[in-house]
Amino acid sequence: MPSSLVVGLTGGIASGKSLVSSAFERLGVTVIDADVVARDVVEPGQPALEEIVERFGADIVDDQGRLRRRALREIVFADDAQRSELERITHPRIREELARRRDAAQSDYCLLVVPLLAKSSMRDLVDRVLVVDAPEVVQMDRLMSRDDINEDLARRMIAAQDSRAERLALADDVLINTGPRKDIADLAAALHAGYLRLAQGEVADLPPLHLPG
C-alpha cells in the first residue's frame, strides 16, 4: 500500500540535503528528489526540453541534444525574468512527477526532497516538513567549493531560493548540519524513529524536533 506519511525535506543549496536524504535511504525509506525529477523532465525528447530550446535558443543544448545545465544556470541566475520563465516551463511537470512517484511509494513513509518547498507552492504535497539548516556563510563555502563557482554567482543562487527564515517558518523539524558528517546517520535515525511511530499510527502527532549537528 502507498506510504501513509509524506515528509518534505527542504533546505538551502549546499545545506546537506543529499547527505541527509541518503541517510534516510539507508534506513529503507523511499526518497524522491525534486532535483532528480527536474533532470528527468528535461531529458532529450521530453516536452520541457523542447520548450526550453524554443525559449532560450538552440545553443542551450550540446551536440548530443542534452541540456547545457551550467550555461542555463548562468542565464537564469543573472535575470529574474528568465528564471521565472524556466520555472513556468519546468515546475508543473516536476510537481506532477513528484506526486506520481509519491503515490507509488511503498515504504511506511516516504521523503520528498524539495529545495523550493515554499516558493514552488508544493507544500501541499507533504504532511510534515523537515528543514536541513546551515548558516549562509557555510552554504557559501560549500557551494563555491562544490560547484567551482565564484562568490557572486553563489550569492545569486542562494538569493534565488527560499530564504532561511521562510524555510524555518515551514519547519516541523530542524536538523542543523554544521557538525561532522558522521553525525548525520545518528540524527537521521532519531528522526526516523519518530516518523515510523507517526506513520504506523502509534502516535497522533510528534512534538517538533530540533537536532543540532
Side-chain angles (χ1 to χ4, degrees):
M1 59 181 297
S3 301
S4 59
L5 173 69
V6 183
V7 177
L9 187 155
T10 192
I13 192 167
S15 61
K17 297 183 298 298
S18 295
L19 184 64
V20 173
S21 65
S22 294
F24 278 95
E25 204 161 25
R26 287 192 293 272
L27 293 167
V29 179
T30 298
V31 173
I32 304 160
D33 193 326
D35 283 344
V36 173
V37 172
R39 290 193 290 272
D40 290 345
V41 302
V42 295
E43 282 291 294
Q46 292 295 322
L49 182 58
E50 295 174 7
E51 283 195 49
I52 289 170
V53 171
E54 288 177 8
R55 177 64 181 81
F56 295 94
D59 289 344
I60 209 65
V61 294
D62 62 20
D63 292 341
Q64 284 73 48
R66 293 191 172 276
L67 186 65
R68 296 173 58 226
R69 299 179 188 282
R70 184 162 189 144
L72 183 59
R73 181 174 63 187
E74 290 175 355
I75 292 170
V76 300
F77 285 110
D79 187 326
D80 289 346
Q82 299 274 46
R83 188 172 68 253
S84 295
E85 185 65 12
L86 178 64
E87 291 171 353
R88 180 194 65 78
I89 294 169
T90 58
H91 279 190
R93 293 178 168 98
I94 293 169
R95 178 189 172 89
E96 181 180 359
E97 183 61 15
L98 280 173
R100 188 192 69 77
R101 297 186 191 190
R102 174 201 63 183
D103 293 345
Q106 298 294 311
S107 52
D108 287 313
Y109 71 93
C110 68
L111 204 69
L112 255 63
V113 185
V114 185
L116 299 179
L117 193 59
K119 286 184 177 177
S120 62
S121 301
M122 295 188 190
R123 173 64 179 85
D124 63 310
L125 293 179
V126 306
D127 303 309
R128 190 176 182 94
V129 176
L130 167 61
V131 171
V132 180
D133 187 45
E136 187 172 306
V137 65
V138 174
Q139 289 178 257
M140 288 283 296
D141 287 345
R142 290 174 179 168
L143 183 56
M144 288 188 292
S145 174
R146 185 192 74 184
D147 289 6
D148 188 26
I149 58 175
N150 61 35
E151 182 177 342
D152 179 61
L153 179 55
R155 288 193 184 281
R156 284 188 273 122
M157 291 173 70
I158 289 173
Q161 295 201 311
D162 301 339
S163 70
R164 191 179 184 191
E166 286 173 322
R167 290 191 296 269
L168 292 174
L170 285 180
D172 295 293
D173 309 307
V174 179
L175 190 160
I176 302 173
N177 181 27
T178 54
R181 291 170 65 97
K182 63 182 177 60
D183 291 347
I184 294 298
D186 290 338
L187 298 172
L191 289 160
H192 177 65
Y195 294 156
L196 275 180
R197 294 180 67 208
L198 191 57
Q200 294 170 355
E202 295 179 15
V203 293
D205 199 4
L206 295 173
L209 298 174
H210 194 279
L211 301 178

